[in-house]
Amino acid sequence: MHKIIAFLLISTTMTSCFYDRIELDYNQNENKKVIITGWITDLDEPQFITIQNTVNYLGENAPDPISEASVTLSDSQQGYELSHRSDGKYYLPDNWVAVVGDTYTLEVDLDGLTYTATHKMRTCPSIENFYAQEIEDSTLTDSIHVFETIFSFQEIPGEGDAYYGIDYVAGSIDKDTLFNGLYTNDDFVDGEYFEDIEISDYDRLFKEGDEVVLDLFSIGYETSEYLLDVQTEIFKGSPFDTPPANVRTNFTGGALGYFIASGAKRETLIIQ
Amino acid sequence: MKTRTLITAGIIFALYSYGFSQHKFTLSGQIKDAQSGEDLISATVYNQEYSLGTTSNLYGFYSLTLDGGSYKIKFSYLGYEDQIVEVDLSKDQVLNIELGESGALLGEVVISAEKEIEDDNVESTAMSVDKVDIETVKKLPALFGEVDIIKTIQLLPGVKSVGEGTSGFYVRGGNADQNLVLLDEAPIYNASHLLGFFSSFNPDAIKDMQLYKGAMPAIYGGRLSSVLDIRMKEGNSKRFAGSGGIGSLMSRLALEAPLGERGSFMLAGRRSYIDVMGKLFQRIKTGEKQDDNQFYFYDLNAKTNFRLNEKNRIFGSGYFGRDVLAAANQGIRVEWGNSTSTLRWNHIFSPKIFSNLTYYYSNYDYFLDYEEGVTKFEWDSKLKEHSLKADFGFYLNPNNTLKLGLHSIQHNIAPGNIKSYENDELISEYDIQKNKSYESAVYISNEQTFSDKLKIDYGVRLSALHNVGPSKAFTYNEEYEITDTTSHTSGIFNSYLNLEPRVGLRYKLGESNSVKASYNRTTQYIQLASNGNSSTPFDIWFPSSERIKPQIADQVALGFFKNLNDNTIELSSEIYYKKFKNSIDFKDHANLLLNQNLEGDLRVGIARAYGIELMAKKNKGRLSGWISYTYSKVEKKIPTINSGDWYNAKYDKPHDFSIVAAYELNDRLSLGSNFVYSTGSPVTFPTGKYTFRGTSIPIYSERNGARLPDYHRLDFSATLKSKKNKHRRLQSEWVFSIYNAYNRKNAFNITFQQDEANPNTTYAEKASVFAIVPAVTYNAKF
């Protein structure tokens, strides 16, 4: 559908079109808002959330981190205090152990206000039959051997599931960009076997010798809707665009941002 | 309730007075163009001595009942020579009149012919109505030199456009789907070609058009904000004639001729050739054959009429338009278009009673095919409408013209059927629920002259909608989540009934001044799911339902009208206030495409619009045109959108100024010019941002709280006609036009880009569609 939309857009403006970088003068960021973002998983790696202020949309604006908040993450049994290290990042203690299937509550106290969000850490299905396949499309390969990854998994029966997957070269920062990965939910496919899924981004295919990591997250239906909101907002330009609007948040108390707790699976392979 | 009682009392009084008019006689007949035989709509029939008169109806018929005696009756029509006819009225009399554009008039009854412009602007009860002569439209500069009536309408006060070069229009705070666009009484559901850059109307096929922005006559209904009533030519009943043109983007040809003594026909067609020219230029530039891409439209208009006898006349007309957009190498093909057909029967029961029976069929459909490898995807959508209408005009006496009628429409909407294939084998099919509904109305109205000063046009329209099964309806909770599903079997499962009072009055303050006031209620039962500003072929219309109540608008308007310089210059000023109930909009991030649960994404609230419109118009002389200024405001208040606060509608453009001028230098050369200025369209710009996993996410504070830069543009045209030659029937002209003469890059939209060199920097980028656009068109007629 995106291809069709792009085609129509080009057709709409095929007569002539001019693009100019312009200066815009309008009120920005009059009321700074607190932003809390976090994506904790059961993977064996440091888990953190980030607190920052909104910054002006236009111009050069580095993030505006907040370091003085009091942050607690609770499961059904106990709460853990997160500690600030740098750049508005608050880390869970090293002894924290994820409880898959439990619902987590994140509570942030800041300047006398409390912001709260909850998210269930859903079980993530196993990654099956993970392999790399050489791309044969000559327009993409340009005489170099490039590869994409393919995998399968069993969707968990019961409606309300959604998944996010991303593949990247181990140690790279590719995984740090939301839309280098893909997401889907179990609408119309509840309980089905997802076979030979291709998620590699054709702008960053893999080469021989690359150690490729595949992360699969069980994010829940509501979070897939959040990702759809974000996608809608940042990929504007089609004739079918909806009016711009704030993406949803699962925080109460007036903060924006989103908190995700998800079960995850990770597999690696070396391209040969 | 008081308004309704007064209307009923007035109509009873008019019928009562009819019963006591036994010593009167009726003069009736047809008013036509002397050269082509075309019926003249709204021509004036007037007796100066007794200040009594009437106007011809949509079929050129007039009827004037007077006491027995001798009268001088003047027949006049804007741009035509008047005829004054002496009539000795001792019995009912039929008098057919032909008015000519030149001094050579026909008929023995002519006793004088003097040029005089009627002061209809001051005299009639009509307000909030604009009539633009098609010949005036042809004199004005146009985008790519292609004459477009909708683009001219956008230059009128109270009419807004959104987006450069688009043919959608917004009237007095109403959305584009709140305009009823009629072509020979059949509605056109998507009145544009080439994704909105050109309208569906071939100027060579059009005879007359009228835009009602308020004070809606009771005969019209079904839309909240305006009626654009376009009538096709009947065809030249005097001789074989033709016209056509070759332009930079399209060519057109229209032919018309008599059908014996009693009828005529008209056939007109257009075809664009952007894709052909594009391929040619690319081949010249690159030397390579281009892919088999297609991007074109064509349309056909046809009409015929035949007079069976003095009392019966039949008309048949049709329109067929199609757009095609295809890229063979990408496996995409999209087609869309309207088709309509109208059959009408005029019957004159008596010199005082005229009737018209209409059947029309209107269709809008589109399909999209997409192929990639062995997989294929097909999507098609259809909207079909059948309608039967009976309208009656009772010309009771010079002081009362009563109109009544019955309308019924069947709406059939199949929003989408999606099929996917693999190796030509159907693997899945997805059908968005079809729906059927019946919209009906009865109306009655009377135009009554109470005195020389006071004239009132009052009426009422009773409209209804019936939703018909089989259908599946959802029940929602307060969070707009589906809680229950109800299946309706065949038959009516939901109905609405609405009373729509309409009143307009004129009070003359002097010979050349009048004040007018009007109130009207309109109801809309079928609407377009529209979210963005751009015109796309993928329209989804949906009817009111158990959950979505009909939209209702109440409008009051007050105006002052004055004519100057012996009626050469018309001044008008109007203020209006309009209140919308059950106004709809879509929730944030609504999905309109292929959505089975569209109603779940709808939000219902209220809206308000108000404004002042000023216009000075010069109709005659070497210099003609108008200057108009509008100040207006339109806002919506809808739960869950913009935190439930009032917000600007996407077509809220407070200041709007136009100058439209045509100047005839001599018999061969004329010049035309437009200047337009308007406030920029409202847009929602991000006011802040945050970053989540390397992704910059915008924050907004208010919907439509910012604006695009102001829009302004100047256009010129020059028309050079061939030398006059009495012995040559072919007349030709060259039209040279410049659109956007000072090359202003008006913003089509503004998007935001992340600086590749510095990811923390975001900048604004303006997209403009047209720079200066010169064009040459060759037109000819015989």
Side-chain angles (χ1 to χ4, degrees), chain B residues 309-328:
Chain B
N309 52 44
E310 281 304 310
K311 292 188 173 178
N312 293 287
R313 191 179 178 196
I314 53 171
F315 299 77
S317 59
Y319 168 82
F320 183 79
R322 205 81 190 150
D323 281 65
V324 176
L325 186 56

Side-chain angles (χ1 to χ4, degrees), chain A residues 125-133 148-154 167 193-200 212 214 216 265-269:
Chain A
S126 299
I127 296 168
E128 297 173 18
N129 196 23
F130 178 44
Y131 65 98
Q133 175 178 279
E148 63 175 334
T149 64
I150 291 173
F151 72 104
S152 305
F153 70 95
Q154 173 62 54
D167 59 352
Y193 189 71
F194 282 61
E195 191 169 12
D196 292 339
I197 311 294
E198 301 168 20
I199 62 164
S200 299
V212 179
L214 171 67
L216 181 67
K265 290 287 188 294
R266 175 173 289 168
E267 294 287 340
T268 59
L269 63 76

